[in-house]
């Protein structure tokens, strides 16, 4: 897998940008369909997210006066690029060729860029609603970031390496981490739900309080790119959790022909990401929005302390297990 | 590539515009009976999300502006301002008898007389209030208008005589 | 954070109707609030003086879409009392049935919108799906889903056939089971409780002082209900009881409204089962004698009062409409002080504002500061549009 | 209230303020003079237990404006205090300090009828368009809306 053409192919075509674009739209369709079916509605047709994306591209772009247009255009692109590159390091068919030790930290860093982009958009568009939305986005970032990182770094501590691919390989020999660290799995799910700003935590984009939060002034292609960013970060987040906790795309036993092994691995990857998506969708449907100060209490009092307890348990297990 | 309306990308954009019309509802002074009928369209029984119709809060994100109720004097300028905030391929649906002629409130002192006096309307819906399926039918006729306009390159060819009172002195919204 | 003026303008997803709040917020806390309600002022009372008793009822029904039967019933009831005619018992029962069906569809609508305000869309979808059953019953009985036009001076416009009665009765058990589900959902569902409990609290003394009406007042323990104080239509003969609660906050108002939903079903079932036979309307004289009446009615949102004065012709000389939401605006303005900005839609939705009824009033609330406050309108200068169209007397 | 308040009690208590008549089973109407109004309301509130203002109704009967203050009490009786104001100088004192909801109704009446209430904290134009001319009071009997052009050039008598 070191042949540069194959790597380029890997990055751009199959598990890279093209597949990610299609899979993001598919997951967004599934998310809306599950939510609709749970509310006893029919839900959108298969091509709906694709039609939304193309329509938004075709709309007129309105620049609110007094806004630096170049920066206003650049921010959605930066956010989208960050999230897409984060997906390269997550193993999709077998281990990712560009993995290096420490790519878990890079992925986590790249995942926070969209929230900062939202804050900048809100602050730049000089509209009172988007300013308040931007501030809420950043305050929410501080609340869920610590437990989310703790929950995602404990697998690295247990597996003894900071590369996602090596964690996946480690899980082949031992149990899946979801059984070893159930609390970490739950905290990671809650953190991901908050990072994607979905219903219990969609305070920045609270549709009924501040019109559309940081999204208010976005029109045309900027809106399309920001929607795509949120959908792609849904894919990246669920793939990350699938890789770290549910054993990633590798089979415990290797099948005879290589392509069958890769295909089975890819099937596992799809199954696991869809499972994570089902959990996220049911959380969205079953809960109402929290207030920012309630989120503050719950975030720091419960979720952060539970994550610390999880870290403590992992350290104890590591100490007992490693020494023979 | 052939004319503006026939290129592959143009046909794709037209298809996308027809498949995902986003609407925003504005109650310009009516008795909010039409409002609750529009919200009833979103509900499980008349679910419009299967046509891709979403109700968006801010006019910036919407394609179709649905106006319920007649236009009171105070609403006229704000209605006009909301309409101007919408990005270009935009359409206006005036719902109910109030939208067409002021309905029961025709001729009252604190009212302008119909939505047409504030901004150009594309589709009218009869009924006081119209049933949810009639409102969905209005959105569908609006999409047919969109398909026709796409083939003629924009709305100008269909614009009938300029709206009286509006064209000769277009309101200057002080910035 | 210095004081920020947040205009929640006439066009806002949280408010289904055009009302304009100028919220002066300090960070997330609301310091002061200025409402501007006059977007919906249509001048109905002036028109009401020019219409005879047949043409006035459709106009009065369209004061507000959700409580349309209330406005026409309170007017018809007042005129019939001035004329001194007695409508047949069957007409009284049919009016009560339509009134209670309207209360059910209004409360279910409100429960959905309140859940939507806090982002809990599932309950929004469920309540409105069950509301369709009530809408079907209303459409079968009166031909229209929202404006029923059932009333006429002297009785009811169309009769209820036995088939309609059976169909309505068949729908009640399913509605009862759903409302039972909502009742324990409201009490136990954590996601609702965390946003409703302790928000916009109003004590009983405050409720009385600021003149709150309807479920908003009954949630604070005020025991006023026009159906029991001034029994009209068939409420005297139907066994029902007033639902009150002493929580005083949005949670209490939700419980009162769901309780009233339950009561409405019992009233409807009682009225449908022993619907008296007989004619549906008596012929009323064309002109009403000279007189006046202050007729009260318990609309879904609160106590609705029409002051009607007649002068012997076939037109009412003066119809003074005081709608329930108009009385609730002062109390909601007081409840909102130093609550969270995020709670504003929930508290405002808690009084179930029907802005079309309140086509009046700016309320300006003072928070201990000097009494002098004003409400500059945030609207755009209207020199161009408004001035040319405003009315000059010749 | 230790003993239930009866209509007779109310009628003899309110005799000093003006003519009292029992209109219906639980409706009492008291006709008073503007300057006696405030202490009529205070006695009604304090002694007879009327604690809530339902609404203030106004009627333009030719040469005078009639203001009716409707109050209700826990014992389910409704009292309506009515005063007459001359048409040329319709001025009376505000009651919004005694009854807070009155602040709303008085501003509306000022806008539609032109009756000024002294001492009202903020008596500004409220419900009509910003551009509504100041001395036009639509709900007065003698005010006819401008029979001018109906929008679009068709001449229609406007109610």
């Amino acid at each position: 897998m070191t042949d540069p053409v194959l790597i380029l192919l890997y990055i751009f075509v199959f598990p890279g940008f093209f597949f990610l674009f299609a899979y993001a739209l598919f997951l967004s369709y599934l998310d809306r369909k599950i939510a609709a079916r749970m509310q006893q509605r029919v839900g959108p047709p298969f091509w709906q997210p694709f039609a939304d994306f193309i329509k938004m591209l075709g709309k007129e772009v309105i620049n609110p006066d007094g806004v630096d247009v170049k920066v206003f255009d650049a921010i959605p692109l930066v956010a989208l690029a960050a999230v897409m590159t984060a997906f390269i390091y997550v193993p999709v068919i077998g281990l990712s060729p560009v993995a290096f030790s420490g790519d878990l930290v890079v992925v986590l860093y790249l995942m926070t860029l969209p929230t900062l982009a939202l804050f900048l958009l809100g602050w730049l568009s000089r509209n009172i609603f988007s300013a308040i939305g931007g501030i809420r986005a950043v305050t929410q970032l501080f609340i869920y970031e610590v437990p989310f990182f703790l929950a995602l770094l404990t697998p690295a501590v247990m597996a003894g390496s900071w590369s996602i691919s090596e964690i996946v390989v480690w899980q082949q020999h031992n149990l899946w981490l979801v059984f070893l660290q159930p609390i970490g799995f739950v905290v990671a799910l809650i953190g991901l739900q908050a990072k994607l700003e979905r219903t219990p935590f969609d305070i920045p984009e609270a549709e009924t309080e501040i019109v559309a939060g940081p999204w208010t002034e976005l029109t045309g292609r900027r809106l399309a790119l920001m929607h795509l960013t949120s959908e792609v970060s849904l894919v990246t987040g669920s793939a990350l959790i699938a890789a770290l906790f549910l054993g990633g795309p590798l089979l415990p036993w290797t099948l005879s022909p290589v392509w069958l092994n890769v295909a089975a691995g890819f099937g596992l990857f799809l199954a696991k990401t869809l499972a994570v998506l089902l959990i996220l969708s049911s959380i969205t449907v079953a809960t109402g929005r929290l207030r920012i100060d309630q989120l503050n209490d719950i975030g720091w009092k419960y979720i952060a302390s539970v994550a610390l307890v999880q870290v403590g348990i992992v350290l104890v297990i590591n100490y007992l297990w490693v020494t023979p | 590539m052939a004319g503006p309306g026939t290129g592959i990308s143009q046909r794709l954009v037209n298809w996308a515009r027809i498949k995902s019309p986003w609407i925003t509802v504005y109650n310009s002074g009516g008795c909010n009976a039409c409002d609750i009928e529009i919200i009833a369209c979103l509900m499980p029984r008349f679910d419009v999300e299967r046509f891709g119709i979403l109700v968006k809060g801010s006019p910036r994100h919407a394609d179709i502006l649905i106006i319920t109720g007649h236009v009171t004097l105070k609403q006229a300028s704000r209605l006009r301002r909301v309409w101007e905030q919408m990005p270009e391929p935009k359409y206006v649906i005036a719902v109910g008898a109030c939208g067409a002629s002021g309905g029961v409130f025709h001729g009252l002192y604190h009212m302008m007389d119909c939505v047409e006096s504030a901004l150009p309307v594309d589709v009218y819906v009869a009924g006081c209030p119209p049933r949810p399926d009639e409102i969905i039918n209005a959105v569908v006729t609006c999409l047919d208008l969109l398909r026709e306009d796409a083939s003629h390159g924009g709305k100008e060819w269909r614009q009938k005589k300029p709206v009286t009172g509006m064209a000769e002195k277009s309101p200057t919204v002080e910035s | 954070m210095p004081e920020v003026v947040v205009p929640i303008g006439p066009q806002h997803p949280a408010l289904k109707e055009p009302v304009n709040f100028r919220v002066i917020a300090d960070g997330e806390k609301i310091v002061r609030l200025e409402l501007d309600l006059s977007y919906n002022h249509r001048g109905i009372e002036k028109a009401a003086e020019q219409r005879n008793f047949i043409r006035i009822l459709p106009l009065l029904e369209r004061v507000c879409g959700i409580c349309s039967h209330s406005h026409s019933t309170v007017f018809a009831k007042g005129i019939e009392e001035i004329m001194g005619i007695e409508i047949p018992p069957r007409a009284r029962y049919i009016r009560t049935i339509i009134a209670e069906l309207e209360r059910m569809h209004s409360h279910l609508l409100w429960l959905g919108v309140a859940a939507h305000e806090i982002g809990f869309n599932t309950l929004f979808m469920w309540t409105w799906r069950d509301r369709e059953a009530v809408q079907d019953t209303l459409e079968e009985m009166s031909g229209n889903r929202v404006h029923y036009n059932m009333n006429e001076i002297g009785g009811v416009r169309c009769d209820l056939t036995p088939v309609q009665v059976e169909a309505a009765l068949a729908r009640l058990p399913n509605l009862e089971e759903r409302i039972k589900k909502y009742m324990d959902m409201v009490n136990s569902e954590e996601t609702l409780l965390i946003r409703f409990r302790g928000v916009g609290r109003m004590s009983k003394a405050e409720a009385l002082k600021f003149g709150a009406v309807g479920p908003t007042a009954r949630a604070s323990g005020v025991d006023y209900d026009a159906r029991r104080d001034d029994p009209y239509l068939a409420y005297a003969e139907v066994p029902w009881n007033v639902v009150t609660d002493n929580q005083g906050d949005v949670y209490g108002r939700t419980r009162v409204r769901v309780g009233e939903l339950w009561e409405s079903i019992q009233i409807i079932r009682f009225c449908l089962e022993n619907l008296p036979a007989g004619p549906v309307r008596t012929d009323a004289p064309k002109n009403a004698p000279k007189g006046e009446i202050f007729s009260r009615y318990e609309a879904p949102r609160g106590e609705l009062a029409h002051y009607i004065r007649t002068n012997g012709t076939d037109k009412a000389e003066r119809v003074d409409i005081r709608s329930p939401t108009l009385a609730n605006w002062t109390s909601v303005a007081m409840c909102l002080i130093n609550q969270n900005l995020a709670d504003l839609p929930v508290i405002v939705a808690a009084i179930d504002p029907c802005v079309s009824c309140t086509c009046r009033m700016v309320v300006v609330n003072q928070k201990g500061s000097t009494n002098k406050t004003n409400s500059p309108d945030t609207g755009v200068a209207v020199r161009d549009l408004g001035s040319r169209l405003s009315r000059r007397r010749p | 209230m230790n003993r239930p308040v009866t209509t007779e009690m109310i009628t003899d208590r309110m005799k000093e303020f003006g003519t009292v008549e029992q209109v219906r089973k639980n409706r009492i109407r008291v006709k008073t003079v503007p300057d006696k109004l405030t202490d009529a309301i205070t006695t009604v509130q304090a002694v007879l237990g009327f604690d809530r203002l339902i609404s203030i109704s106004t009627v333009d009967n030719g040469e005078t404006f009639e203001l009716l203050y409707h109050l209700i009490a826990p014992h389910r009786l409704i009292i309506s205090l009515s005063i007459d104001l001359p048409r040329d100088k319709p001025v009376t004192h505000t009651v919004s300090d005694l009854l807070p909801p009155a602040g709303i109704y008085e501003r509306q009446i000022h806008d539609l009828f032109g009756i000024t209430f002294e001492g009202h904290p903020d008596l500004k134009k409220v419900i009509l368009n910003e551009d509504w001319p100041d001395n036009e009071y639509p709900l007065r009997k003698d005010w006819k809306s401008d029979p001018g052009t109906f929008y679009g050039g068709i001449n229609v008598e406007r109610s």
Side-chain angles (χ1 to χ4, degrees), chain B residues 3-129:
Chain B
T6 56
I8 298 288
S9 66
Q10 188 56 38
R11 281 216 303 276
L12 182 67
V13 168
N14 289 344
W15 169 81
R17 280 190 187 143
I18 288 162
K19 282 293 177 240
S20 93
W22 287 359
I23 61 175
T24 181
V25 183
Y26 188 78
N27 176 350
S28 70
C31 71
N32 74 33
C34 299
D35 280 277
I36 49 181
E37 289 299 86
I38 290 172
I39 301 169
C41 295
L42 313 169
M43 290 308 132
R45 183 173 181 182
F46 298 98
D47 179 22
V48 281
E49 205 185 345
R50 50 199 159 97
F51 307 129
I53 298 173
L54 279 180
V55 174
K56 281 290 171 186
S58 104
R60 281 261 192 270
H61 301 172
D63 309 333
I64 299 174
L65 173 67
I66 296 192
I67 300 171
T68 61
H70 51 276
V71 182
T72 53
L73 284 186
K74 196 161 184 174
Q75 288 279 28
S77 60
R78 287 153 188 89
L79 185 63
R80 181 82 194 183
R81 201 170 170 187
V82 165
W83 182 66
E84 272 148 10
Q85 277 182 1
M86 292 170 66
E88 199 20 61
K90 57 189 172 193
Y91 289 84
V92 176
I93 297 180
V95 180
C98 288
S101 68
V104 168
F105 308 109
H106 179 73
L108 268 69
Y109 64 87
H110 197 253
M111 268 191 19
M112 288 167 73
D113 300 289
C114 58
V115 181
E116 190 73 28
S117 54
L119 40 87
V121 177
D122 296 304
V123 179
Y124 287 101
V125 192
C128 177

Side-chain angles (χ1 to χ4, degrees), chain A residues 32 39-45 47-48 50-52 54-56 58-60 62 207 211-212 215-219 223 227, chain B residues 12-13 15-17 19-20 22 42-44 47 49-52 54-58 60-63 85-89:
Chain A
R32 278 169 68 176
Q39 293 165 357
Q40 303 192 337
R41 288 185 292 123
V42 171
W47 59 80
Q48 193 51 50
F50 179 68
D52 289 348
I54 299 293
K55 182 212 72 174
M56 278 189 272
K59 293 283 283 187
E60 170 207 1
I62 296 177
E207 197 248 354
V211 183
W215 302 66
T216 325
E217 293 301 334
L218 297 177
T219 53
L223 186 64
H227 264 297
Chain B
L12 182 67
V13 168
W15 169 81
R17 280 190 187 143
K19 282 293 177 240
S20 93
W22 287 359
L42 313 169
M43 290 308 132
D47 179 22
E49 205 185 345
R50 50 199 159 97
F51 307 129
L54 279 180
V55 174
K56 281 290 171 186
S58 104
R60 281 261 192 270
H61 301 172
D63 309 333
Q85 277 182 1
M86 292 170 66
E88 199 20 61

Side-chain angles (χ1 to χ4, degrees), chain C residues 38 46 81 213 224 228-230 292 294 309 317-318 322 330 360-361 373 382-383 387 389, chain D residues 24 26-27 29 51-52 54 58 61 66 73-74 76 104 108 122 127 130-131 138 140-141 143:
Chain C
S38 59
K46 183 78 177 177
E81 202 166 331
V213 284
Y224 277 132
R228 187 197 51 200
D229 306 344
D230 275 346
E292 58 163 11
F294 186 70
R309 173 169 291 196
E317 192 204 349
R318 170 76 168 113
R322 203 280 286 150
T330 329
R360 299 172 184 70
M361 268 346 84
T373 52
V382 198
R383 289 297 156 271
S387 58
L389 305 172
Chain D
R24 272 180 186 67
N26 57 2
R27 298 279 204 285
R29 185 179 155 82
D51 52 8
R52 199 160 66 82
I54 302 178
T58 13
N61 30 19
E66 192 178 347
R76 307 295 178 258
I104 301 179
Q108 167 208 355
D122 179 42
I127 57 166
E130 302 91 5
D131 264 358
R140 285 190 178 179
K141 277 280 182 283
W143 184 81

Side-chain angles (χ1 to χ4, degrees), chain C residues 24 29 40 79 95 111 165 169 179 213 286 366 371:
Chain C
I24 292 102
K29 281 272 180 287
N40 247 355
I79 293 292
R95 274 191 189 168
L111 193 57
V165 173
L169 274 174
I179 286 169
V213 284
K286 191 166 175 310
Q366 302 88 4
N371 241 346

